[in-house]
Amino acid sequence: GDMLLSQEDIYLDGKCEDRDLPRNVRLRLLVQDASGNHFLKTCEEARHLCGHPPDAGFSSTLVRAYCPQTCGCATAAQFFTGSGEGCPLSCKEDFETMLASSSQCMDMTVEMLDSNPEWHQYLQSVVLHLSQRANRQAVQLGRFLNTSASVSGCAAFRQLARGEVKVDVDNGFGEQESPVTPDFCSVTALRGGFGGAEHRSVRFFCPTTCGCAEACAKGTKACSDCPQVCPISPPNPPQST
């Protein structure tokens, strides 16, 4: 319908800045409907939806589309960055510009993460994303992340990708499912179950865990989501004269 077309236009042509909801009545009504708050006047009042998975009513998708700045679309905070998930494409370009000058080359420590609101939004989104899946293991892995990533930071994501988290692989019908090992370091693995669901990886927070130095040695495409001002390989020892 009409709404999805405009969604696609916003994705391709929209600027990565919040729309002027106080002055644009039509957009304000859309965001009011999406948030269920008919007194809403600003993007800030819809912030709580920014990190929610896309749903049948498009509520979080609309909020990301019209409030990309508030929703952190150009930052590591935003997990739902696909073309069908609301954030304008220009935000991805802004994120890449930020990465191009970022020298955060080591995993952030648990203390750094704990005081970083972007990490909390990212983590909450990943947990919601896992717990929404129609898969018992994904739900259990979401619970694991919810408790352990706040304590052990990047290490929790490493355990997940390596299949080290003990989950019940019985699907509830007495059958064993093949183990689910979501790799939030992998940009390709995070292309979701439907078109337009490309998710942002955890690489910005955890470049060491995610092997950014090795990935970036393979070229720009492989280096996606990684801080770029990092040594790709150890520098050559000084030549003796």
Side-chain angles (χ1 to χ4, degrees):
D2 184 41
M3 200 210 93
L4 281 175
L5 182 70
S6 61
Q7 169 65 45
E8 194 174 320
D9 291 342
I10 291 168
Y11 175 69
L12 293 172
D13 307 320
K15 289 194 174 71
C16 195
E17 50 195 47
D18 292 350
R19 299 301 177 97
D20 188 351
L21 298 186
R23 290 177 60 184
N24 189 322
V25 178
R26 195 178 67 85
L27 292 187
R28 188 167 76 239
L29 285 170
L30 273 173
V31 178
Q32 285 178 347
D33 270 352
S35 64
N37 172 3
H38 295 281
F39 300 101
L40 173 142
K41 292 188 179 63
T42 63
C43 281
E44 187 55 46
E45 293 168 77
R47 182 189 288 274
H48 62 284
L49 288 169
C50 286
H52 280 236
D55 56 40
F58 297 107
S59 54
S60 61
T61 301
L62 268 173
V63 173
R64 284 187 284 269
Y66 296 124
C67 305
Q69 221 170 336
T70 293
C71 285
C73 286
T75 73
Q78 186 50 261
F79 177 67
F80 301 106
T81 52
S83 57
E85 297 179 316
C87 287
L89 181 61
S90 61
C91 299
K92 186 178 192 302
E93 291 156 8
D94 291 352
F95 183 57
E96 284 163 2
T97 305
M98 184 275 288
L99 290 174
S101 61
S102 171
S103 52
Q104 170 63 48
C105 303
M106 305 297 288
D107 286 356
M108 293 188 185
T109 63
V110 176
E111 294 73 31
M112 285 166 77
L113 292 171
D114 191 47
S115 61
N116 186 331
E118 292 185 1
W119 165 254
H120 290 287
Q121 181 183 323
Y122 183 85
L123 189 57
Q124 184 204 15
S125 292
V126 168
V127 170
L128 286 168
H129 166 70
L130 286 168
S131 54
Q132 264 205 346
R133 304 272 287 279
N135 175 302
R136 291 180 71 205
Q137 287 180 68
V139 173
Q140 294 172 69
L141 292 173
R143 280 195 208 119
F144 162 80
L145 263 189
N146 198 25
T147 51
S148 66
S150 46
V151 184
S152 58
C154 294
F157 280 93
R158 190 185 307 125
Q159 288 175 274
L160 215 61
R162 290 184 182 166
E164 292 168 0
V165 182
K166 292 284 163 275
V167 291
D168 177 13
V169 291
D170 171 15
N171 65 1
F173 302 102
E175 302 157 8
Q176 299 289 303
E177 296 173 340
S178 51
V180 175
T181 53
D183 184 356
F184 289 94
C185 279
S186 161
V187 177
T188 43
L190 290 175
R191 300 213 171 103
F194 66 93
E198 306 82 37
H199 299 139
R200 191 159 283 157
S201 72
V202 76
R203 285 173 159 192
F204 179 76
F205 301 109
C206 307
T208 320
T209 288
C210 290
C212 275
E214 298 80 9
C216 293
K218 296 180 185 146
T220 321
K221 211 167 163 55
C223 200
S224 177
D225 288 359
C226 286
Q228 313 265 314
V229 191
C230 296
I232 286 173
S233 54
N236 296 325
Q239 301 298 313
S240 52
T241 45

